Amino acid sequence: SMEDALAQGQFIVYLQPKYRLKDRELSGAEALVRWIHPEWGFQSPGEFIPLFERNGFITQLDQYVWDRTCALLRDWDRKEYPQIPVSVNVSRADIYNADLANILLRTVHKYNLPPSRLHLEITESAYTENPGQIIDTVTHLRELGFIIEMDDFGSGYSSLNLLSKVTVDTVKLDKQFLDDTMNSEREETALTIIKYLTKMLRHLGFKVLAEGVETSEQLEMLRLADCDIVQGYFYAKPMPIGEFRTFLQEFNERDN
């Protein structure tokens, strides 16, 4: 029923805020997709995303999310909300599409947006499959003005050698990496690992974003490690567009 679900608008874009850690101000958001089926109800992304990656439908779904996200950004601009960027997922299957750059450019131009407003999240493991092609594709996208985020860093595929070759803007620490480090019995060692990892990434010219921040202890560790940006349930869960619009409007009024 995936084709009908897309045509009928059953796939809903949710947004999760991102915050700068130095001043705890809103820095952007991540677009996430949810499936609300009229009979089956809420479908877990953990179930349907892997399925769509296997059967190829993920490319259609990703392009739908890119379009809806750009439409939202354009709507916010008309209402003179803060011009925050929003990150979207770019799946492995998208990377191998020779027309990827043109599709993304057409999407942002359709809504009169600069490419820099759309941040592209590419999972770290994708870089290990065909490093040459991925690096060339990412380099081209950055040259066009898109901001690239390496997602899921530290999830098990990390290569320090790879970091010297990729041209990304932000490295996003995987939630599991943060959880595993925090659950270490040696708290001082955990802090040292994250601190030096962050320092190394920033020295290489990357911004560092930590996802899945759920506790004040995790937040304090990331602050001590001089992390740039955080997102997670500690601040806000992913929320429907209407709820995020209210959140953004309140932020705008407070800022003015």
Side-chain angles (χ1 to χ4, degrees), residues 10-255:
Q10 294 174 20
F11 293 105
I12 309 297
V13 174
Y14 274 47
L15 296 164
Q16 185 173 31
K18 299 178 182 180
Y19 292 86
R20 290 193 303 268
L21 197 47
K22 65 178 181 180
D23 55 14
R24 303 200 178 187
E25 290 292 334
L26 184 70
S27 70
E30 178 181 3
L32 302 159
V33 67
R34 299 291 183 260
W35 186 359
I36 314 296
H37 193 279
E39 296 179 24
W40 310 331
F42 180 88
Q43 302 301 300
S44 169
E47 295 181 1
F48 69 81
I49 293 295
L51 172 62
F52 293 166
E53 287 177 336
R54 290 194 298 272
N55 67 20
F57 185 70
I58 193 67
T59 57
Q60 289 179 252
L61 184 58
D62 282 347
Q63 290 176 29
Y64 172 79
V65 173
W66 302 343
D67 185 86
R68 291 298 81 213
T69 299
C70 287
L72 280 173
L73 289 169
R74 181 60 178 162
D75 179 56
W76 296 345
D77 287 352
R78 290 196 197 98
K79 295 174 180 175
E80 298 185 343
Y81 293 165
Q83 292 192 339
I84 62 170
V86 175
S87 62
V88 295
N89 185 66
V90 177
S91 302
R92 293 182 186 87
D94 298 319
I95 292 291
Y96 296 111
N97 183 347
D99 203 34
L100 173 62
N102 289 329
I103 292 170
L104 286 164
L105 276 178
R106 284 198 299 268
T107 304
V108 294
H109 289 163
K110 175 182 175 181
Y111 296 100
N112 297 315
L113 296 169
S116 59
R117 293 288 297 285
L118 198 65
H119 291 198
L120 309 178
E121 292 195 10
I122 302 173
T123 186
E124 178 205 44
S125 59
Y127 290 87
T128 67
E129 295 177 357
N130 190 340
Q133 180 175 346
I134 301 257
I135 290 170
D136 288 345
T137 300
V138 167
T139 300
H140 181 49
L141 289 170
R142 286 189 79 236
E143 289 171 349
L144 293 173
F146 292 99
I147 304 299
I148 309 297
E149 299 181 1
M150 180 188 284
D151 196 15
D152 299 332
F153 182 81
S155 59
Y157 297 90
S158 301
S159 168
L160 298 182
N161 182 51
L162 178 64
L163 287 175
S164 67
K165 299 176 182 177
V166 297
T167 52
V168 302
D169 299 279
T170 300
V171 173
K172 192 171 183 181
L173 300 181
D174 183 67
K175 179 184 184 302
Q176 192 60 52
F177 174 79
L178 185 61
D179 289 344
D180 290 347
T181 307
M182 283 297 297
N183 291 333
S184 169
E185 296 179 0
R186 302 171 63 187
E187 184 175 330
E188 199 66 32
T189 301
L191 174 59
T192 300
I193 290 171
I194 291 184
K195 183 182 292 186
Y196 279 96
L197 176 60
T198 300
K199 184 176 181 179
M200 179 194 69
L201 291 171
R202 295 186 68 176
H203 180 72
L204 291 171
F206 307 123
K207 284 187 176 180
V208 181
L209 187 157
E211 64 177 343
V213 180
E214 298 179 350
T215 67
S216 57
E217 290 79 14
Q218 289 176 329
L219 190 68
E220 178 62 13
M221 176 176 284
L222 291 166
R223 187 188 66 79
L224 292 172
D226 205 22
C227 182
D228 296 293
I229 304 168
V230 294
Q231 72 179 93
Y233 284 16
F234 181 82
Y235 280 108
K237 295 181 179 181
M239 61 187 78
I241 289 169
E243 189 176 333
F244 189 87
R245 186 181 291 115
T246 301
F247 169 86
L248 191 59
Q249 189 172 12
E250 291 173 352
F251 177 84
N252 188 40
E253 291 171 353
R254 188 204 71 190
D255 206 40

